Amino acid sequence: MNAVAFSVFIFLFLVVTVMGFAAARWRRAAALDNLDEWGLGGRGFGTFIAWFLIGGDIYTAYTFIAVPATLYAGSVTGFFAVPYTIVVYPIIFAFLPRLWSVSHRHGYVTPADFVQGRYGSKGLSLAVAITGIVATMPYIALQLVGMQVVLEVMGLQSSSDNWFVKDLPLFIAFVILAAYTYSSGLRAPALIAFVKDTLIYIVIIVAVIYIPHHLGGWGHIFDSAQSSFDDFNKTNADAIAAGKAQGRGIIPPPAAHWAYASLALGSALALFMYPHSVTGVLSTKSRNVIRRNASLLPAYSFLLGLLALLGFVAIAAGVKVTNPQQSVPQLFENEFPSWFAGVAYAAIVIGALVPAAIMSIAAANLWTRNIYKAFLNPNATPAQEAQQSKIVSLVVKFGALIFVLALSKDFAINLQLLGGVWILQTLPAIVVGLYTRWFHRWALLLGWAVAMVWGTWTEYDIASPTQAHFGGPLTTFWGTDTKVYVALMAFLINLVVTIVATIVMRALKVPDGVDATRLEDYSVDAGDTGVEEELTPETPAH
Amino acid sequence: MPSSRPLWIIVGILLIPPIVVPLLVGLYDKDDPRLWGFPFYYWFQFLLIPCAAAFTVTAYYVAKEAVRRDRAARGLPELDSKGERR
């Protein structure tokens, strides 16, 4: 453990902690005891704040650790993160303003609220809510995995065999996070997101200029990655031919094109089905902020691409780690002066706190609105709703913590893989529902159920050279030998089942349910009839 | 008041290339030509980012005009230059 790096790290962590608690007073509202305030930050964030907040959702600590790790490990497929974050913005542009409008007119806090209002079906809304919660939980757990990797490289883990003592620093960081999320709600991650992104931008820009300069330029970096992969392929030629190891390279072979494209498209479609992304979007003050952000957010894609390439930089710099996830923190440790390494560690750890807070708030809102209020206490007051959400946000976070520490890390990673498959299956109900009500509610539920079962079973069956189950996100497309992202295939099944079942339901004249929304609800803006202005009654304190 | 329909069609068309082009991996799975040491595969995808943003920014301005026409047609108040209610 390096004292300078450690001091810088602790200093930045303390700054963020103070900000997290102070956030409760930022853009102060009369009361924090309702979900619009605690769970959506007063629904008053403009372009600037929303840019950081939504960026904090998409570019998480786990992304920073895992994406370069795949490149380090020789699988160029990991670079799909770049096309994925290009493709996602036109998609946001198209449908999220409609979700914003209808949610503001009707006071919806979660995507499941919208489904309930649109289809008049508590069952379908429950399905969407549960999918959202189970898909988000492992995502939170992975933020912890990201933090854990950094703490390991910093040498902050004691060698004790007791899982609690061993990960005490992680535990402390998490207790602090839980406390300020509890007291400040969505305002805490929104405020901290500024620090997070500023630090990450500085670290990445320095890393991609300073380190390659030391190592002889980018051309040399790509060449050394290539030659290291060529060596690997030569020594392991037999194992690769037998399917016991994966060939490595810096450019995907033609056979991997569809894998690359389908991962990018599937992930882009899934991203805004995650409840935490919806939370970020609904916290904006006007529908225009969303479109403007869809045009500005690609700046992050650039960052992510450069970050991914640090995996190759680590190879060229001679970083040797058995766990590829440690490659980037180890690269910082080796190449940076210790004070700047401290900044870099803090950037990644704070990069885990922001999304973990937003995700736990989003999952808590789903529980409160679509399970607690829908089934357990229909007459809950806004204050009771906020109280439920606050407590559940704690439960969710500690659940994730116990998960990672006491159970296996791989289990969390497998579940996150499944989470992507699962969450995409809520798209027909949410996105298609924004445009047309042609799909029948029971057909949507059936399509969802079939796709969930098929997707889970298919994932379970995928073996990799190192794992018997959940070996990766790809499987062969029906009737071909091309590998494709499982989530996208499950989504196709979902659509086909939903369409066929809708025709059957219509023929049988099964009742359609009541639609609480009207056509004009999908295009209203802040200040229009029935849409409240910024919900903060007092002038913002800053 | 002119109709907003042609504008929404333009918005739709503008959003297609940034979704489709990045998915056509066969277009760019090459090493040469290199740029500042980056293989074509990498610098092309980086180049796609500002190009895609140019499409969405254009779509943003077209959509703003379309929204203005839609609101006028429904007798709703105008939005200010930031697209918000005055």
Side-chain angles (χ1 to χ4, degrees), chain A residues 119 124 425-429 432 438-451 490-506:
Chain A
Y119 295 97
L124 187 57
Q425 309 319 322
T426 61
L427 188 143
V432 180
W438 185 77
F439 285 163
H440 193 280
R441 51 183 176 161
W442 300 128
L444 283 166
L445 195 59
L446 186 68
W448 168 84
V450 172
F491 177 64
L492 288 179
I493 294 180
N494 189 342
L495 278 184
V496 170
V497 172
T498 307
I499 291 169
V500 172
T502 297
I503 295 169
V504 174
M505 295 290 173
R506 294 268 186 274

Side-chain angles (χ1 to χ4, degrees), chain A residues 465-476:
Chain A
T466 48
Q467 279 173 285
H469 302 290
F470 303 111
L474 304 169
T475 192
T476 43

Side-chain angles (χ1 to χ4, degrees), chain A residues 250 257 260 288 292 526 528, chain B residues 42 45 60 71 82 85:
Chain A
I250 65 167
H257 286 186
Y260 195 78
N288 199 50
R292 189 128 29 98
D528 290 342
Chain B
Y42 294 92
Q45 291 186 70
Y60 166 70
R71 293 181 68 88
K82 289 167 90 179
R85 278 285 297 264

